[in-house]
Amino acid sequence: MEFTPSAHQDTFTRDHLPPERLWPTLEFTLPELQYPDRLNAATVLINETVERFGADRQALLTPAGETWTYGEVLLRANQVAQVLTEDVGIVPGERVLLRSPNNPWTVICWLAVLKAGGVVVTTMAALRARELLPLIERTRPAVALVDHRFAEELRIVQETGTFGLPLIEYGGAGPRDLITLASVKSGQFTDVDTAADDVALLCPTSGTTGVPKLTMHYHRDVLAISDTFGRHIMQLRQDDVVSCTAPLAFTFGLGALVIFPFRVGAAALLTEAATPRELAGVVHDRKATVLCTAPTAYRAILLDGLEHLLSGVRMAVSAGEHLPLSTWIAMRDRAGLRIVDGIGSTEMLHIFISACGDAVRPGATGRPVPGYRATILDDEGRELGDNEPGRLAVIGPTGCRYLDDERQENYVVNGWNVTGDTFYRDSDGYFHYQARTDNMIVSSGYNIGGPEVEEAVVRHADVMECAVVGRPDENRGAVVCAFVVLREGVAADDSTRRAIQDFVKQEIAPYKYPRDVRFVDTLPRNPSGKVEHFRLRQLASAEPGQAGTPAAR
């Protein structure tokens, strides 16, 4: 495999790419996917956008009424890049960890790292020290840029981990705050001349347990998702304002809030946290024209009768979990919005099957996004015909590259990226979702790994054993359901249930906690001693109370 000469002085990422035999097939079938050998994604997204559309265009909005122009974002990104290179001593190829909710300084830091030739490792602000530590040990960042409100968990990592990680906080006070350090810089910065196939992003997949999986994406990949889904499906305009509830640590949120709008000179509305009711109000007040969120939020907005607040939205996009047909129909009938559905993955960086406008077919996820092709494989890797359910597999300009991980062999099969979803393709080429085929629980758009929750539950002093599955839920798609064997003498009551739930919220990100906790005497096992999760799924799907004590809500 031939690479373009790298700009990276720190060769960590190229040194830890998968072996060539395990790489996915990559195809660049569209004219817009032909990229030069030298390419810095940040240069394209901010410098060239300012040159094309002007520095005075609005770029970033907040619910509080802030408006940042493209010129301001460019200045601040250059200043932060100066801090990284001049004060911290970052060299091209070193990793920089980001930890923050969605706000303008997160976007600025993301751009600055790429400008400096660094590799961005964006993490969710909700993660606990226990979850951050393996990510840090795997990626070995040179520094962490962290919102001062979310620095405590990283301080715990500093105290308990074996890998020293310098922190630079922002948004607080004091002479060492990043904003203060950046303010005295000139704002003149020459972006590093990275190769198109230099790694730009290390993206943690959500829901992993033990050693985390980290996907590796090039500078050209960042633009490729804009030139496929962004260009052909979202079709953003310069006057669009995009709202998205996904964190920037999720590639769905990164694309919707940074890559796609910045490519065309549109604006992004950044919300740190919002209930569906609050989201509808913010979308209305800040005049968002494009809304990207999970089906759970659309359902909640409909249930609250707030669809009138979406009257200014011209496009609604759904991802993160299966979009129920009833939600699609209700949003069409009550809000006049034909929700754009889609399926993507962190491994592929963004959405690869979707449809928009008149091409939307209710009940179907869509067809391959231009630039991608897809098929259905059986368990032996053979392609299946129409209307035969099997494993969804995709090829395009992006593909799975895990950071030095033997699980690469599970995701890439004969060049195809196999996503872990069961689909079938109809005779018109539309792909229809059936179910997840791995052990992930998709709840309100979040991927949650059952084994990770199990590990957290069994760390509770009163728990002897635990097995976790997903229980179907009308509002969330699925909820985490934990079957728990308690230690002898512990009361199987609501007090114990709440204690376990509260404990898990402190051990791992709170959204992963088991909303349904059921106490059982034993876990079903096969003759070899393995827990039979399929039996637990059957029990979880039954009415609450049939599998033990009533489910917690």
Side-chain angles (χ1 to χ4, degrees):
M1 182 179 301
E2 294 185 4
F3 291 102
T4 306
S6 175
H8 286 181
Q9 297 174 33
D10 183 313
T11 62
F12 174 87
T13 51
R14 279 202 177 175
D15 292 344
H16 291 84
L17 285 165
E20 183 176 355
R21 66 181 179 83
L22 298 180
W23 272 53
T25 298
L26 297 173
E27 296 179 346
F28 304 90
T29 57
L30 304 176
E32 54 267 34
L33 294 174
Q34 311 307 310
Y35 301 112
D37 288 344
R38 313 308 299 179
L39 177 67
N40 186 308
T43 305
V44 176
L45 292 175
I46 184 62
N47 297 56
E48 293 184 9
T49 298
V50 168
E51 292 174 3
R52 291 166 60 200
F53 304 113
D56 294 333
R57 292 195 62 81
Q58 64 177 12
L60 301 174
L61 312 178
T62 70
E66 291 179 274
T67 298
W68 293 60
T69 67
Y70 272 97
E72 291 170 328
V73 173
L74 175 58
L75 173 64
R76 295 301 191 185
N78 282 344
Q79 290 175 320
V80 173
Q82 287 180 277
V83 172
L84 290 172
T85 55
E86 297 170 9
D87 299 355
V88 181
I90 290 291
V91 301
E94 286 190 306
R95 281 72 58 213
V96 178
L97 184 139
L98 305 183
R99 175 175 167 82
S100 172
N102 292 359
N103 60 49
W105 279 99
T106 314
V107 177
I108 288 164
C109 290
W110 186 88
L111 292 166
V113 175
L114 295 187
K115 281 174 162 285
V119 179
V120 185
V121 184
T122 308
T123 61
M124 288 184 59
L127 296 185
R128 305 297 190 191
R130 185 186 298 271
E131 298 159 300
L132 290 165
L133 182 58
L135 295 175
I136 291 167
E137 290 178 336
R138 291 290 315 284
T139 60
R140 304 187 71 79
V143 67
L145 306 182
V146 54
D147 186 305
H148 73 107
R149 299 167 295 172
F150 297 89
E152 182 58 32
E153 295 292 331
L154 283 176
R155 294 193 193 100
I156 296 173
V157 170
Q158 285 181 315
E159 296 170 359
T160 60
T162 58
F163 181 78
L165 178 63
L167 304 184
I168 300 180
E169 300 178 25
Y170 57 87
R176 301 303 299 170
D177 187 87
L178 177 63
I179 298 174
T180 301
L181 295 173
S183 67
V184 300
K185 299 298 183 181
S186 68
Q188 300 299 312
F189 188 81
T190 301
D191 296 354
V192 172
D193 186 27
T194 47
D197 58 359
D198 274 335
V199 173
L201 312 175
L202 292 179
C203 302
T205 60
S206 55
T208 55
T209 185
V211 180
K213 289 183 290 186
L214 290 132
T215 64
M216 313 174 75
H217 297 291
Y218 293 160
H219 281 266
R220 74 177 182 217
D221 297 345
V222 173
L223 301 187
I225 64 172
S226 177
D227 292 331
T228 52
F229 182 80
R231 177 172 181 164
H232 294 278
I233 303 299
M234 289 193 72
Q235 302 176 22
L236 293 183
R237 308 165 184 167
Q238 291 179 41
D239 60 351
D240 274 324
V241 175
V242 183
S243 174
C244 178
T245 56
L248 292 171
F250 283 8
T251 55
F252 178 54
L254 179 65
L257 290 171
V258 182
I259 299 170
F260 303 158
F262 273 53
R263 195 73 192 278
V264 300
L269 172 59
L270 302 173
T271 51
E272 292 195 351
T275 65
R277 175 180 287 273
E278 293 168 339
L279 173 66
V282 169
V283 165
H284 177 268
D285 294 344
R286 296 298 269 150
K287 298 180 171 53
T289 59
V290 178
L291 175 59
C292 304
T293 191
T296 305
Y298 289 117
R299 288 196 295 269
I301 289 170
L302 290 166
L303 287 172
D304 286 343
L306 298 176
E307 63 273 10
H308 62 281
L309 295 177
L310 307 184
S311 59
V313 174
R314 70 172 185 84
M315 172 177 281
V317 181
S318 172
E321 62 184 1
H322 176 59
L323 174 64
L325 179 59
S326 59
T327 301
W328 191 94
I329 292 173
M331 190 61 71
R332 179 198 62 188
D333 294 346
R334 292 168 55 180
L337 291 169
R338 297 168 62 87
I339 298 178
V340 173
D341 196 9
I343 180 172
S345 68
T346 309
E347 287 83 355
M348 300 298 290
L349 192 54
H350 214 271
I351 293 173
F352 45 78
I353 290 179
S354 186
C356 65
D358 293 337
V360 172
R361 179 168 295 184
T365 302
R367 294 181 289 200
V369 171
Y372 291 89
R373 58 189 175 99
T375 192
I376 305 298
L377 301 178
D378 66 12
D379 290 340
E380 304 301 321
R382 295 183 293 260
E383 294 191 43
L384 298 173
D386 292 343
N387 301 309
E388 294 185 84
R391 298 183 296 163
L392 178 65
V394 188
I395 285 175
T398 61
C400 177
R401 290 179 292 262
Y402 287 139
L403 174 71
D404 193 20
D405 198 314
E406 62 184 13
R407 289 168 290 186
Q408 177 79 14
E409 197 161 6
N410 299 329
Y411 202 94
V412 178
V413 178
N414 298 325
W416 290 98
N417 298 277
V418 181
T419 67
D421 300 278
T422 299
F423 271 75
Y424 73 87
R425 180 189 59 235
D426 67 24
S427 58
D428 293 325
Y430 281 82
F431 286 75
H432 298 253
Y433 174 80
Q434 299 294 283
R436 291 288 292 175
T437 53
D438 56 17
N439 65 346
M440 300 295 291
I441 301 165
V442 182
S443 180
S444 297
Y446 289 93
N447 287 346
I448 302 170
E452 182 183 27
V453 182
E454 290 170 356
E455 288 184 5
V457 173
V458 297
R459 285 195 289 267
H460 191 281
D462 292 336
V463 174
M464 180 174 293
E465 287 187 298
C466 173
V468 166
V469 297
R471 173 174 65 77
D473 181 80
E474 182 178 356
N475 293 320
R476 297 176 180 272
V479 296
V480 177
C481 178
F483 290 84
V484 176
V485 178
L486 295 171
R487 295 188 180 278
E488 187 174 355
V490 177
D493 57 18
D494 286 341
S495 177
T496 302
R497 180 179 293 109
R498 286 192 296 270
I500 292 171
Q501 291 171 322
D502 291 342
F503 175 82
V504 172
K505 290 178 186 179
Q506 297 301 314
E507 291 290 296
I508 56 179
Y511 68 83
K512 301 176 184 178
Y513 87 97
R515 293 176 178 273
D516 188 344
V517 175
R518 308 188 184 196
F519 299 123
V520 293
D521 294 330
T522 59
L523 297 177
R525 299 180 183 275
N526 65 17
S528 65
K530 294 183 178 180
V531 175
E532 295 179 318
H533 284 82
F534 73 94
R535 295 190 183 278
L536 297 179
R537 291 189 187 96
Q538 294 172 349
L539 291 172
S541 298
E543 287 293 322
Q546 291 183 354
T549 54
R553 297 295 181 186

